[in-house]
Amino acid sequence: MKNKNIIIRDLILPHIDKKIDIEFERGFNYLRGENGCGKTLLLDYIAGLRKQKKATIQGNEHILYINQSIFFSDRLLGKDFLQFVYQLDSMKNGMLAFEHYLKSFNEESEENQFVFELLGKQWGMLSCGEKNFLYTVILLSLEREWYILDEPFAFIDENRKKLLMDRIEAKVYAGKGIILTSHEKQEWIEEKAFIVEFTNTGVKRYNS
């Protein structure tokens, strides 16, 4: 797999009349902007959920899109969601693979125990923050070249946010690409990332 960036040319975001011409460099990219500016819409195009004939998007062939929509039966367990995700990825023994992923950070940590407790609960019994946390940790355990994260810290407490950030930084350290959005203006995000900000007409890159 070539170590390439995501390049977008001549993409016009519908209804908000913004033209996107930008290159997301391999590494940690923080996409910021106000509500309704087009962040999620842009991520949908990068992920291939939306298409535009005149636009060119390159480098997005091997991505994983973690968006804000989690559709799963409230009666099924967290570990059922884990098995479902791993089966979609054509992987057997999902629980063993996931345990190995968790232990690669810390062999016997309280955080790992918390994740296993969530896996044993019904999806409908989890809070919004617990759902987002478990959903994101599971999908980050899969192997991709790029990870698109739309509001991964929503409703999550500060300790869990740090745990997710540790895993995101591990992906960057391994040479992967990250595009992340967040409504939170957090220095601990911005100081680590390339900042891409929405303007009135498109997007602009800072500190690259």
Side-chain angles (χ1 to χ4, degrees):
M1 182 69 65
K2 293 182 179 180
N3 184 26
K4 55 185 176 180
N5 301 332
I6 291 179
I7 302 172
I8 304 172
R9 296 288 181 263
D10 300 318
L11 173 64
I12 306 296
L13 295 183
H15 311 301
I16 56 176
D17 195 28
K18 292 182 180 180
K19 183 179 180 182
I20 308 299
D21 289 290
I22 196 166
E23 180 171 348
F24 286 97
E25 297 181 18
R26 184 66 67 96
F28 188 12
N29 297 272
Y30 175 39
L31 180 62
R32 70 184 183 188
E34 300 297 328
N35 286 341
C37 69
K39 297 190 300 296
T40 297
L41 191 58
L42 174 57
L43 297 185
D44 285 349
Y45 278 104
I46 294 174
L49 299 183
R50 297 173 183 264
K51 305 286 186 180
Q52 195 172 108
K53 290 183 178 180
K54 294 183 179 180
T56 300
I57 302 179
Q58 300 174 327
N60 64 335
E61 296 84 6
H62 198 243
I63 70 170
L64 194 150
Y65 184 21
I66 305 176
N67 61 18
Q68 299 181 54
S69 300
I70 310 174
F71 299 105
F72 198 61
S73 171
D74 283 347
R75 297 181 63 183
L76 297 180
L77 300 176
K79 62 184 178 182
D80 296 321
F81 177 73
L82 171 66
Q83 296 291 3
F84 171 72
V85 167
Y86 272 70
Q87 286 173 6
L88 287 180
D89 217 39
S90 300
M91 295 177 63
K92 298 180 179 179
N93 300 320
M95 184 61 75
L96 289 176
F98 186 65
E99 287 181 13
H100 178 74
Y101 169 75
L102 290 181
K103 291 179 179 179
S104 67
F105 289 89
N106 197 320
E107 184 71 22
E108 296 293 343
S109 73
E110 292 183 3
E111 296 295 348
N112 288 354
Q113 184 60 39
F114 174 71
V115 173
F116 289 125
E117 289 175 3
L118 295 183
L119 290 173
K121 293 182 179 181
Q122 288 186 343
W123 198 256
M125 298 301 293
L126 302 180
S127 69
C128 289
E130 289 173 335
K131 288 178 182 177
N132 284 351
F133 175 76
L134 184 60
Y135 173 66
T136 304
V137 169
I138 288 174
L139 294 180
L140 282 175
S141 72
L142 302 178
E143 188 66 20
R144 293 292 191 277
E145 293 303 310
W146 279 87
Y147 298 83
I148 315 299
L149 306 158
D150 192 10
E151 296 290 341
F153 303 116
F155 308 109
I156 297 177
D157 62 46
E158 294 302 320
N159 288 337
R160 312 301 177 208
K161 287 177 186 178
K162 183 180 183 305
L163 189 149
L164 286 184
M165 181 59 81
D166 289 344
R167 281 151 175 73
I168 289 169
E169 289 187 280
K171 293 295 183 183
V172 175
Y173 183 77
K176 308 299 183 180
I178 299 286
I179 301 176
L180 180 148
T181 71
S182 178
H183 290 306
E184 305 174 36
K185 293 184 178 179
Q186 298 280 2
E187 292 184 358
W188 56 271
I189 297 176
E190 295 183 358
E191 68 185 8
K192 299 174 184 294
F194 301 120
I195 298 175
V196 179
E197 186 164 37
F198 268 84
T199 67
N200 291 333
T201 57
V203 290
K204 181 179 179 180
R205 173 180 288 279
Y206 297 87
N207 69 355
S208 59

